[in-house]
Amino acid sequence: MIKLKNEKQIDGIRKSCKMLARVYNEIEKHIVPGITTKELDDVARELILSGGGRPAFLNYHGYPGSLCTSVNSVVIHGIPGSQKLKEGDVISLDLGIDLDGYLSDSARTIPVGKISDEAQKLLDVTKLCLKKGIEAAVAGNRVKDISKAVFAVADKHGYGVVREFCGHGVGLELHEDPQIPNYVGRGPNPRLKPGMTIAIEPMINLGLDDVFIHEDEWTVETVDKLISAHFEHTIAIFEDHTEILTQID
Ligand code: MF3
Ligand code: CO
């Protein structure tokens, strides 16, 4: 069941999303060679708690961190730990906040120091996938218009589009209906309506689309061990426009 939100609810979700964008700006300052992923998790958690929020991922189905820290060939759900970032790495961060019962969700892949042109292009294209997906996310369109737009950009560059994980409704819970795949499959294709708040999140691999899950039951990595990128925004659909909630300009 897709939950349409009223103005008051969207306002609450927006506040949660703006806090998330501010927290990200702070975390990004700490992305330097030598820092551990656990230290980044600590920064994220403390910023959220001091802002009066709750880290939405912490203990979600037993997830042990506040932040997902996925380095290089790790696609998503990397668990913060003793791994130190090094020059040339890319790190995908994924973070959600519960602020007064309103949920936000956003991800971004960040370069550590100077990265290769090949890696930078993957980041740029994945960001473009998200942008095109958001442009297709207008009232009257359908979920598969988003999926098609995201896939087309990645496919044009020969990148692998991860199929096992999808975007989703978000706002009153972390994961709500509908699912938003990054490829056009056989699933449901609901119409996009004013009041929908959704997270669009392309996960794009430099090489093959295939991924596997580690024994920790969280870490998702590319089978070919080539790098992966992930960008995600929470957005709200209105009758005459779509707002990117997890962005501050
Ligand atoms: N941020 C993920 C998503 O976009 C959810 C993370 S699951 C968690 O759907 F367990 F790590 F929290
Ligand atoms: Co998400």
Side-chain angles (χ1 to χ4, degrees):
M1 190 208 44
I2 298 174
K3 291 182 196 154
L4 298 181
K5 284 81 174 181
N6 61 34
E7 244 170 79
K8 178 172 170 277
Q9 290 169 322
I10 292 179
D11 211 51
I13 297 165
R14 185 186 290 111
K15 285 197 178 77
S16 176
C17 289
K18 296 304 170 196
M19 179 194 274
L20 181 48
R22 287 195 302 274
V23 167
Y24 261 129
N25 288 347
E26 283 306 308
I27 297 172
E28 284 211 23
K29 295 178 188 164
H30 295 264
I31 305 288
V32 289
I35 194 158
T36 67
T37 52
K38 180 72 181 83
E39 287 170 310
L40 295 173
D41 186 59
D42 291 339
V43 169
R45 189 185 58 258
E46 277 156 30
L47 285 167
I48 292 169
L49 292 175
S50 70
R54 182 184 68 80
F57 297 176
L58 187 59
N59 297 323
Y60 181 81
H61 294 284
Y63 183 73
S66 298
L67 183 66
C68 298
T69 52
S70 307
V71 179
N72 295 332
S73 57
V74 176
V75 181
I76 49 168
H77 301 168
I79 298 173
S82 58
Q83 181 177 13
K84 280 194 167 94
L85 299 186
K86 53 184 194 331
E87 180 91 16
D89 284 346
V90 295
I91 180 169
S92 298
L93 301 176
D94 195 348
L95 185 62
I97 298 177
D98 175 344
L99 182 64
D100 303 325
Y102 297 109
L103 280 298
S104 52
D105 187 7
S106 179
R108 50 179 80 173
T109 302
I110 301 161
V112 182
K114 188 164 170 34
I115 60 171
S116 69
D117 293 346
E118 187 185 50
Q120 187 59 55
K121 188 184 155 204
L122 177 70
L123 269 51
D124 293 344
V125 170
T126 306
K127 212 183 274 186
L128 186 62
C129 287
L130 175 56
K131 182 169 186 275
K132 294 295 177 187
I134 292 170
E135 283 171 11
V138 293
N141 269 2
R142 289 179 180 272
V143 161
K144 284 183 190 178
D145 292 307
I146 302 174
S147 307
K148 195 173 144 193
V150 169
F151 186 86
V153 175
D155 192 53
K156 187 179 143 204
H157 293 273
Y159 293 146
V161 176
V162 176
R163 291 162 185 265
E164 284 83 350
F165 300 89
C166 295
H168 50 91
V170 61
L172 304 180
E173 291 172 76
L174 183 57
H175 291 129
E176 303 174 357
D177 286 340
Q179 282 203 17
I180 313 205
N182 295 307
Y183 65 96
V184 180
R186 277 195 287 255
N189 190 19
R191 198 177 286 284
L192 301 171
K193 294 201 174 120
M196 284 176 64
T197 49
I198 58 175
I200 302 176
E201 50 179 318
M203 288 150 267
I204 308 297
N205 300 345
L206 184 62
L208 302 175
D209 57 14
D210 306 87
V211 299
F212 71 102
I213 301 179
H214 286 211
E215 268 179 20
D216 62 20
E217 292 181 357
W218 283 106
T219 310
V220 177
E221 188 172 12
T222 58
V223 162
D224 59 16
K225 305 288 174 100
L226 296 177
I227 62 166
S228 183
H230 181 204
F231 285 89
E232 174 180 29
H233 273 308
T234 296
I235 67 173
I237 296 172
F238 296 93
E239 207 164 290
D240 56 353
H241 72 290
T242 291
E243 181 182 342
I244 303 176
L245 298 174
T246 43
Q247 179 166 281
I248 35 184
D249 18 44

